[in-house]
Amino acid sequence: MTINLVQRVCLGDLPTRATQQFPHRPAVVDGNAVLTYSELEARSNAAAAGLLDLGLHRGDVVAIMMPNCWEFLVTFFGCAKIGAVCMPVNTGLTAEGVAFQFDDARPAVVVVEESLVALLETALAAFPTTSSVQRVVTARADSPRSELAGIPVMPFAALIDATVPPVEVIVEDRDIAQCLYTSGTTSRPKAVLTSHVAVMMAALSTCVQFRHERGDSCSVFPIVLPLFHVTALNCLTLPVLLTGGTVVLHRSFDPNALLHDLAARQVTHLMLLPVMWGQLVDAAGKGAPGSENVRMAIYAMAPMSQQRLDEIREVFPNADVVLGSGQTEFTPPSVLQWPSHQWDKNASWGTAVITTDVRIMGPNGELLPRGQEGEIVYRGPQAMQGYGNNEAANTAAFTHGWFHSGDVGYLDDEGVLWFTDRIKDIVKSGGENVSSVEVERALLGHPDVADCAVVGMPDDRWGESVTAVVVPVPGRTIADDAIRSFAKEHLAGYKVPKRVVVVDGLPKTSTGKIQKHRVRAQLESRSQS
Amino acid sequence: MTINLVQRVCLGDLPTRATQQFPHRPAVVDGNAVLTYSELEARSNAAAAGLLDLGLHRGDVVAIMMPNCWEFLVTFFGCAKIGAVCMPVNTGLTAEGVAFQFDDARPAVVVVEESLVALLETALAAFPTTSSVQRVVTARADSPRSELAGIPVMPFAALIDATVPPVEVIVEDRDIAQCLYTSGTTSRPKAVLTSHVAVMMAALSTCVQFRHERGDSCSVFPIVLPLFHVTALNCLTLPVLLTGGTVVLHRSFDPNALLHDLAARQVTHLMLLPVMWGQLVDAAGKGAPGSENVRMAIYAMAPMSQQRLDEIREVFPNADVVLGSGQTEFTPPSVLQWPSHQWDKNASWGTAVITTDVRIMGPNGELLPRGQEGEIVYRGPQAMQGYGNNEAANTAAFTHGWFHSGDVGYLDDEGVLWFTDRIKDIVKSGGENVSSVEVERALLGHPDVADCAVVGMPDDRWGESVTAVVVPVPGRTIADDAIRSFAKEHLAGYKVPKRVVVVDGLPKTSTGKIQKHRVRAQLESRSQS
């Protein structure tokens, strides 16, 4: 079945449709810059035309290296309108990391914001694997340049300066809208390719889940998490723009800036990481003007304590506090913990979203009954199209007709999902499987331990030995023996770390995930030296 | 791009996913029969397996001849699960009308409810064009038969009696989920083929628009309109089942039955035609127990008077009264009139839904600016895949890259859509275009006129002559001259009917649309006799 321009499911149509309804409403607030829907549409359309002028075709890749700014969203929609693949790059990468992604995804154009030009230049100059790049577009450059590492440069303003008729390209449902790399917790980053239909389904589903309403009671949502991650881009921003609301872009987390938003705008939604919620609640004290308008207080990463939830509810008395879980491969969220489960099932992940089927799978591909532990698997139209250039990973991810999350858990008799472990985080020691998460949780209970990672290291006797890498609370010292004694009090003997290594800090991704493969590498180099 | 079982957008997955969340909640109430989600899923899955056993493949057509009943929905989801095309048949058709659709769509299986067996038998026996039918499945038959017009019969209970593992068929996004025939207002019925992705987009979009919430505050929606129409099936029922709510099936409109629902169940949504709303409000009086739970009071066909809207608001004080407009070809709704427009723009159609772009097109395919009148055209993923067996109609419907509604109107400066005419209803008289709707509205202002239709009839002098066919109020008589004098008072001279014909009633479709082509045919036969 072919489709036509009428029927297409294309993310580039979001600002077009919203502009017909709400041309003068603020769509994107970025500091002093306020883009109405009409302006967002005009600039996105101009960007689409500009990218076509640069010779881009449907399926070509455009890299975005930008912090949260309106140019990011204009580039995203511009790409979508012509069926180009948008590849937002994590701004925390090294030049080598950037070069790896460029080598893998082969972007033809890079749109870069001033603060990341030096990083891009290093990557382009030092790594021949970046040779796919034919043009660099620079946003907010103080002194525009004509070339970067030999590649011609144009200013962003020139990309979008034309007033052009609507760009109309047939985009198929399963054309790739975006390429986002996994954070590489356990292996080298993989390119997650997601289709227009998957992102659109996720956005519509999220409108229902997060209660975004069209019309007069539309949403105002400060976006603090980085747009280069799937959550801020697909799960937070797009549903707001689908329903005529306003996103307020922040470049970093500043509790006072958020308190200012609450007072100055009718903020309806907030989404922060647990540590940010703590700081915001502390900064708010008892009375944050405007906090009564917030109807959804969303967080991610892991369940928060009952006490922290209570503190949030006190500051935001009209908000549902909701925990969202998911992953890049399955356009989030997949599972939400609703207030109704926060009293008795506070440590769970909650229940599946309406467009996702969550099950538990045994080692041979069999779906397990309620209460039994196994791998968490998903089905639903929010699934990625696949990993790029990695057929082995695709086969593994979709085996037995379900998407394999790599997480272990169980569904209780109410269909509530309980996460218990990460599959790759099992230490196989002496014929027993030891959950790294369980050991980590135990060690974090020690008053001197600020952070820790548990990994399995090769061991002649045990196969793998349970190894703990711990970061002390500032000002404290940690003794190997004390930690092991403490662990013995809380864990079965075979789970007690054989070795405890004290370090100043753990390698983490920009979202705060511990990079276990780097922890292992550091331990290896340490034992070799 | 091929898809896999994980990613598929398939309507058959709706009860599967809801069952994981809400297995014991009532999904479908049908008199004394209450199907929980778990039962709806089990029976739909059994129906899917049963249809496969009958030799059906992806793309084969299954006709449904049933009034509103749970077997209708089980058959619909059973078809969806295997990629079969579900073809609900209007229960008001003649045997000839049934035979026309069978000849056009070639169903392999017909699922028929007892009350329609005689009609089916007549169609099968009298019309050789029904020869595609290989099996009849009868629901609720008092005395089951082994054959019908020579075609083997099986009872519905046998179709769904197996307990089988989940049926898993790869269904592509653009596979046809349903085939619904246009009502044939102006021409012979056309098969509207709609894809899984279009119906799913419409259902998700409608969840947002109609504020269906998942979880504890889910919807309870009595379905009074027939499921064989797109509105009841796609726009009312599916969004409820997507979010874990309950549909309460009614076979016909009975205000007292609805009042009973209000009192006995926590009804949250109602959708009725204007005449039904009038009767319900009259029957309710001032206090209808349970009416305070209704949050959406939806209607269709045409704007209601301010007085009627006020009466509805009095009985349902917490409900938003919303007018929905759309058509089978563009899975409804396309446009909604919200309460914010019911004070000053009460006669408008309102504003586009979030997934649809509504524009006005001039005669050469140019999009017209605000305020200018032209054809109403649509774009968005809710569009049909196309008409079946009718390339000429497809070309016309999608010309210039927009779906042509056949309606005339304009968008005002707020983006509110005002319907002014139907394109096919223009009478071209003496070089002037006369809007039939305008003349009809004028004539309906005469106290003796109960109903009327205005058509253009061939005329040597005028090209077409404006011809009015009027139905008198019971007990009154109508004189041609009196009507023409009245018209002269309210209309420009060239719009005054040249001829007034008095009849007892007008030919209408089962949804109450006047069939202008039959009016014309009757006038022609009358002038020939």
Side-chain angles (χ1 to χ4, degrees):
Chain A
M1 283 279 182
T2 56
I3 61 159
N4 58 40
L5 280 168
V6 180
Q7 301 154 342
R8 73 173 190 179
V9 174
C10 173
L11 299 172
D13 290 337
L14 261 65
T16 315
R17 289 196 287 258
T19 297
Q20 288 299 309
Q21 297 301 305
F22 321 110
H24 308 305
R25 263 199 212 160
V28 181
V29 175
D30 176 9
N32 292 324
V34 178
L35 265 67
T36 63
Y37 274 97
S38 160
E39 288 163 338
L40 176 64
E41 166 65 4
R43 295 184 196 186
S44 301
N45 187 61
L51 292 170
L52 288 177
D53 282 348
L54 291 179
L56 284 186
H57 297 99
R58 206 178 125 206
D60 287 342
V61 177
V62 175
I64 293 184
M65 294 177 69
M66 296 201 250
N68 288 2
C69 59
W70 65 261
E71 293 91 338
F72 189 118
L73 293 173
V74 163
T75 307
F76 177 81
F77 287 120
C79 288
K81 283 175 184 289
I82 64 166
V85 178
C86 181
M87 180 177 83
V89 175
N90 188 317
T91 59
L93 288 181
T94 60
E96 188 175 359
V98 172
F100 170 81
Q101 289 190 17
F102 281 23
D103 182 37
D104 198 50
R106 314 296 301 157
V109 171
V110 184
V111 184
V112 61
E113 199 256 7
E114 175 68 10
S115 61
L116 293 152
V117 167
L119 174 64
L120 175 63
E121 186 170 24
T122 305
L124 293 175
F127 296 93
T129 56
T130 59
S131 61
S132 64
V133 179
Q134 292 159 30
R135 181 77 66 143
V136 171
V137 180
T138 53
R140 306 193 183 190
D142 294 330
S143 49
R145 304 160 60 160
S146 63
E147 57 86 28
L148 205 68
I151 296 163
V153 169
M154 72 186 287
F156 194 81
L159 184 75
I160 63 162
D161 74 345
T163 302
V164 288
V167 169
E168 298 189 335
V169 174
I170 288 187
V171 176
E172 297 279 347
D173 301 339
R174 296 282 170 178
D175 279 358
I176 301 305
Q178 64 193 28
C179 167
L180 298 175
Y181 278 78
T182 60
S183 53
T185 311
T186 56
S187 64
R188 57 163 220 163
K190 292 192 284 287
V192 177
L193 306 178
T194 307
S195 67
H196 284 264
V197 79
V199 176
M200 189 72 91
M201 287 283 175
L204 280 165
S205 175
T206 303
C207 286
V208 180
Q209 312 279 155
F210 287 180
R211 294 205 290 274
H212 292 299
E213 295 186 12
R214 54 98 61 211
D216 297 330
S217 52
C218 64
S219 303
V220 177
F221 204 156
I223 306 295
V224 173
L225 302 185
L227 286 171
F228 60 73
H229 275 313
V230 69
T231 299
L233 183 60
N234 294 167
C235 170
L236 308 187
T237 298
L238 294 188
V240 173
L241 299 179
L242 191 51
T243 46
T246 305
V247 291
V248 183
L249 300 181
H250 289 245
R251 290 210 170 199
S252 60
F253 172 69
D254 173 353
N256 292 317
L258 279 182
L259 291 176
H260 175 266
D261 280 355
L262 288 174
R265 308 175 185 283
Q266 303 241 307
V267 171
T268 57
H269 289 67
L270 281 172
M271 155 82 186
L272 299 170
L273 301 182
V275 63
M276 298 173 181
W277 275 113
Q279 292 179 46
L280 180 65
V281 166
D282 288 346
K286 292 256 171 186
S291 59
E292 70 278 8
N293 298 315
V294 176
R295 54 180 191 256
M296 294 285 286
I298 307 158
Y299 72 107
M301 302 282 287
M304 286 198 281
S305 69
Q306 197 61 258
Q307 185 190 334
R308 180 49 48 83
L309 293 173
D310 285 342
E311 289 167 6
I312 296 172
R313 288 191 198 102
E314 197 169 337
V315 177
F316 301 98
N318 300 321
D320 277 349
V321 185
V322 172
L323 165 65
S325 300
Q327 54 199 112
T328 305
E329 291 91 331
F330 213 91
T331 327
S334 299
V335 184
L336 295 172
Q337 186 203 61
W338 291 94
S340 56
H341 287 128
Q342 275 162 8
W343 308 107
D344 56 335
K345 298 186 175 182
N346 180 42
S348 75
W349 273 11
T351 50
V353 301
I354 55 174
T355 39
T356 299
D357 197 353
V358 177
R359 304 292 180 93
I360 304 298
M361 186 168 277
N364 301 313
E366 72 282 17
L367 295 178
L368 299 177
R370 295 283 161 96
Q372 285 193 31
E373 193 177 77
E375 184 172 12
I376 302 168
V377 293
Y378 301 114
R379 265 188 188 173
Q382 292 167 235
M384 67 170 174
Q385 201 61 33
Y387 294 115
N389 310 321
N390 201 332
E391 275 317 300
N394 280 328
T395 303
F398 292 120
T399 192
H400 304 303
W402 291 79
F403 173 73
H404 290 253
S405 70
D407 292 323
V408 175
Y410 64 93
L411 290 160
D412 70 16
D413 53 12
E414 286 190 304
V416 172
L417 181 65
W418 295 77
F419 165 79
T420 51
D421 204 351
R422 295 182 292 271
I423 279 190
K424 296 287 170 62
D425 252 352
I426 286 174
V427 181
K428 299 190 175 187
S429 180
E432 296 279 358
N433 287 345
V434 178
S435 158
S436 303
V437 173
E438 188 189 358
V439 179
E440 285 162 8
R441 280 184 185 151
L443 299 188
L444 285 169
H446 189 287
D448 294 343
V449 174
D451 206 349
C452 92
V454 168
V455 295
M457 295 303 290
D459 186 280
D460 288 341
R461 179 167 175 192
W462 301 99
E464 286 182 337
S465 68
V466 179
T467 307
V469 181
V470 297
V471 180
V473 169
R476 303 291 182 90
T477 53
I478 289 182
D480 181 323
D481 281 356
I483 295 297
R484 286 173 37 85
S485 303
F486 181 81
K488 278 178 191 158
E489 292 171 29
H490 296 90
L491 292 168
Y494 70 90
K495 298 180 182 173
V496 173
K498 303 284 185 288
R499 184 178 166 210
V500 176
V501 177
V502 180
V503 296
D504 292 330
L506 293 168
K508 292 186 178 182
T509 68
S510 58
T511 49
K513 282 189 198 172
I514 296 172
Q515 294 171 298
K516 291 282 178 95
H517 65 297
R518 291 185 57 198
V519 173
R520 283 190 204 93
Q522 288 171 0
L523 285 171
E524 274 162 13
S525 65
R526 183 187 280 251
S527 48
Q528 284 159 6
S529 62
Chain B
M1 283 280 181
T2 56
I3 60 159
N4 58 41
L5 279 168
V6 181
Q7 300 154 342
R8 72 175 192 179
V9 174
C10 173
L11 299 173
D13 290 336
L14 261 64
T16 314
R17 289 197 287 259
T19 297
Q20 289 299 310
Q21 297 301 306
F22 322 109
H24 308 304
R25 265 201 211 159
V28 181
V29 176
D30 176 8
N32 292 324
V34 177
L35 265 66
T36 63
Y37 274 96
S38 158
E39 289 163 336
L40 176 63
E41 166 66 3
R43 294 183 197 185
S44 300
N45 188 60
L51 292 169
L52 287 178
D53 282 347
L54 291 179
L56 283 185
H57 298 99
R58 207 178 126 206
D60 287 342
V61 177
V62 175
I64 293 183
M65 295 178 69
M66 296 201 249
N68 289 1
C69 58
W70 64 262
E71 293 92 336
F72 189 118
L73 294 173
V74 163
T75 308
F76 177 82
F77 287 120
C79 289
K81 281 174 184 290
I82 64 167
V85 179
C86 181
M87 180 177 83
V89 175
N90 188 317
T91 59
L93 289 180
T94 61
E96 188 175 0
V98 172
F100 169 80
Q101 289 190 17
F102 281 23
D103 182 36
D104 198 48
R106 315 296 302 157
V109 171
V110 184
V111 184
V112 63
E113 199 255 9
E114 176 67 10
S115 62
L116 293 152
V117 167
L119 173 65
L120 175 63
E121 187 169 24
T122 305
L124 293 174
F127 296 93
T129 56
T130 60
S131 62
S132 64
V133 179
Q134 291 159 30
R135 182 76 65 142
V136 171
V137 180
T138 53
R140 307 194 183 191
D142 294 330
S143 48
R145 305 160 60 158
S146 63
E147 56 87 26
L148 205 68
I151 296 164
V153 169
M154 73 187 286
F156 193 81
L159 184 74
I160 63 162
D161 73 346
T163 302
V164 287
V167 169
E168 297 189 336
V169 174
I170 289 186
V171 175
E172 297 278 347
D173 301 338
R174 296 282 170 179
D175 280 357
I176 301 305
Q178 64 192 30
C179 167
L180 298 175
Y181 278 78
T182 61
S183 52
T185 312
T186 55
S187 65
R188 58 163 220 166
K190 292 192 284 288
V192 177
L193 305 179
T194 307
S195 66
H196 284 264
V197 80
V199 176
M200 189 71 90
M201 288 283 176
L204 279 165
S205 175
T206 303
C207 286
V208 180
Q209 312 280 155
F210 287 0
R211 295 205 290 272
H212 292 300
E213 295 186 11
R214 55 98 60 211
D216 298 329
S217 52
C218 64
S219 304
V220 177
F221 204 156
I223 307 295
V224 174
L225 303 185
L227 285 171
F228 59 74
H229 276 313
V230 70
T231 299
L233 184 60
N234 293 168
C235 169
L236 308 187
T237 298
L238 294 189
V240 174
L241 299 180
L242 191 51
T243 47
T246 305
V247 291
V248 183
L249 301 181
H250 289 244
R251 291 211 169 198
S252 59
F253 172 68
D254 173 354
N256 291 316
L258 279 182
L259 292 175
H260 176 266
D261 280 354
L262 289 174
R265 308 175 185 282
Q266 302 241 309
V267 171
T268 57
H269 289 66
L270 281 171
M271 155 80 185
L272 299 169
L273 301 182
V275 63
M276 297 174 181
W277 275 114
Q279 292 179 45
L280 180 64
V281 166
D282 288 347
K286 293 259 171 183
S291 59
E292 69 279 6
N293 298 315
V294 176
R295 53 179 190 256
M296 294 285 286
I298 308 157
Y299 73 106
M301 302 283 286
M304 287 198 280
S305 69
Q306 197 62 258
Q307 185 190 331
R308 179 48 48 81
L309 292 173
D310 285 342
E311 288 167 5
I312 295 173
R313 288 191 199 101
E314 197 170 335
V315 177
F316 301 98
N318 301 321
D320 276 350
V321 185
V322 172
L323 164 65
S325 299
Q327 53 199 115
T328 305
E329 291 92 331
F330 213 90
T331 326
S334 300
V335 185
L336 295 172
Q337 186 202 63
W338 291 95
S340 56
H341 288 127
Q342 274 161 9
W343 307 107
D344 56 335
K345 299 187 174 182
N346 179 43
S348 76
W349 272 12
T351 50
V353 301
I354 54 173
T355 39
T356 299
D357 196 354
V358 178
R359 303 292 180 94
I360 304 298
M361 187 168 276
N364 301 313
E366 72 282 17
L367 295 178
L368 299 177
R370 295 285 161 95
Q372 285 193 31
E373 193 176 78
E375 184 171 12
I376 302 167
V377 293
Y378 301 115
R379 266 188 186 172
Q382 292 166 235
M384 67 169 175
Q385 201 61 32
Y387 295 115
N389 310 320
N390 200 331
E391 275 317 302
N394 279 328
T395 303
F398 292 119
T399 193
H400 303 304
W402 292 79
F403 173 73
H404 291 253
S405 70
D407 292 322
V408 175
Y410 65 93
L411 289 160
D412 69 17
D413 53 11
E414 287 190 305
V416 173
L417 181 65
W418 296 77
F419 166 80
T420 51
D421 202 355
R422 296 180 292 271
I423 277 191
K424 297 288 170 60
D425 254 351
I426 285 174
V427 182
K428 300 190 174 187
S429 180
E432 297 280 359
N433 287 345
V434 177
S435 158
S436 302
V437 172
E438 187 190 358
V439 179
E440 285 161 8
R441 281 184 185 152
L443 300 188
L444 285 168
H446 190 288
D448 293 344
V449 173
D451 206 350
C452 92
V454 168
V455 294
M457 296 302 291
D459 185 278
D460 288 341
R461 180 169 176 193
W462 301 100
E464 286 182 339
S465 69
V466 179
T467 307
V469 182
V470 296
V471 180
V473 169
R476 303 293 181 89
T477 53
I478 288 181
D480 182 324
D481 281 356
I483 294 297
R484 285 172 40 82
S485 301
F486 180 83
K488 277 177 192 157
E489 292 171 31
H490 296 90
L491 292 168
Y494 69 89
K495 298 180 180 174
V496 173
K498 303 283 185 289
R499 184 178 165 211
V500 176
V501 177
V502 180
V503 296
D504 292 331
L506 293 167
K508 293 188 178 181
T509 68
S510 59
T511 48
K513 283 189 198 171
I514 297 172
Q515 293 171 297
K516 291 282 177 94
H517 64 297
R518 291 185 56 198
V519 173
R520 284 189 203 92
Q522 288 170 1
L523 284 170
E524 275 162 13
S525 65
R526 184 188 280 249
S527 49
Q528 284 159 6
S529 63

